[in-house]
Each structure stands twice: as C-alpha cells, then as structure tokens.
Amino acid sequence: NVSKKVAADQFIFDPVLTFGYLVLITYMSTPMEKLIYPNSNRDQKNREISLKDSINLATDEILPIMIKSWPYWILVQYANFAFIPLNFRLLVIQTANIAWNSFLSWYSMRSVEQNFGKKEEEEEKENELNEMLPIIEITQLNSSQIIQE
C-alpha cells in the first residue's frame, strides 16, 4: 500500500509538477530580475526568455532533475506514508519541500544562465577587452616614447 502511494507520487504526479515548476520559474526569471534590479544594467543585457524556450529547457532538464529527485523524495514519502500520523503528513511534506524547492530554484536558474547567459558573458568579456585595448596601446606608446628619449 505504501509502495503504491510512493510510486504514484514519484512517477505520475512529481514529473508533471516539476515540469510545470521549471517552465514557470524559467519563464518568469527575466521579469523577476527586472523587478529586483530595476535601475541595473542587468535587465538590458538579459533577453526575454520565451514560453517556448522555457518549455524546451524544462524538457531538457526534467530527466536529470527527476534522477536527483527520486532518492530524496522516495525516502521522504516512504517515511511519511509509513511512519507519520495522517494529521502531521502535510507538515512533513512542506518542511521537505523547503529544501527541495531551494535546490530546484538554484538548479533551474543555473540552467537558465548556462543556456541563455553564454552570449551575454562572451559579449561582456569582449567589451571589457575592447575597453582595455586603447589603454594598453596608449601605455605602449608612452613606454616606447620614454625608452626612445
């Protein structure tokens, strides 16, 4: 009986809920960043993530996340269904959810940065290099002038 409940939770409900969470959190990541940093240049560098991009990212990341999810949630759910009285089960699940949702948020934002932040990082490095080049040229000219004199 407990095994059936855990299996239904982990192989039917959890993938659907995790997929939905990934789509929403990645889709809303750019607008949330604009709310958090309204006067920052960060919002100008980051492009909007479309719903299609979010669905594609969630599709790519669902299996690796579920593989990480199963050891954690199978243990939590098995203990919850087997040993925890019915009136405390929700408390156990919500407490376990705090840790899991923190991990899931970190993981999804890391995936967004890896998939959508590479171009921006490369542009930023190139801009930094371009800003340094004139300084280097001026420094070399001054150095050569000093050596010639």
Side-chain angles (χ1 to χ4, degrees):
N1 194 16
V2 171
S3 297
K4 288 180 185 178
K5 290 179 183 179
V6 171
D9 179 66
Q10 291 306 300
F11 298 105
I12 297 171
F13 302 118
D14 195 33
V16 173
L17 293 173
T18 301
F19 185 83
Y21 180 85
L22 286 173
V23 169
L24 288 175
I25 197 74
T26 56
Y27 180 67
M28 296 177 69
S29 65
T30 305
M32 287 303 293
E33 191 167 292
K34 287 180 181 180
L35 287 173
I36 295 170
Y37 306 105
N39 298 324
S40 174
N41 291 333
R42 292 169 62 133
D43 58 345
Q44 295 170 0
K45 294 176 187 170
N46 291 337
R47 70 178 183 92
E48 294 283 333
I49 298 172
S50 70
L51 185 58
K52 184 179 178 182
D53 291 337
S54 295
I55 291 170
N56 290 338
L57 183 63
T59 302
D60 293 342
E61 295 295 333
I62 190 70
L63 185 60
I65 288 176
M66 293 311 301
I67 290 171
K68 291 171 178 58
S69 159
W70 288 325
Y72 178 73
W73 281 112
I74 288 174
L75 180 65
V76 169
Q77 290 289 31
Y78 187 82
N80 194 37
F81 289 131
F83 305 115
I84 306 298
L86 183 60
N87 56 337
F88 292 114
R89 287 183 185 169
L90 184 61
L91 177 64
V92 169
I93 292 302
Q94 294 305 323
T95 303
N97 258 333
I98 292 171
W100 179 249
N101 286 339
S102 297
F103 168 77
L104 203 54
S105 293
W106 169 80
Y107 191 92
S108 62
M109 288 301 99
R110 187 189 69 156
S111 295
V112 166
E113 288 173 3
Q114 287 175 346
N115 289 292
F116 300 104
K118 287 181 180 176
K119 293 177 186 173
E120 293 149 10
E121 288 176 11
E122 290 171 5
E123 287 175 12
E124 200 171 293
K125 287 179 183 177
E126 187 176 311
N127 288 340
E128 287 177 11
L129 184 61
N130 287 337
E131 289 174 6
M132 291 175 64
L133 285 177
I135 296 170
I136 293 170
E137 290 173 9
I138 292 169
T139 305
Q140 288 175 345
L141 287 174
N142 289 338
S143 298
S144 62
Q145 289 173 349
I146 293 172
I147 292 172
Q148 289 175 356
E149 292 177 3

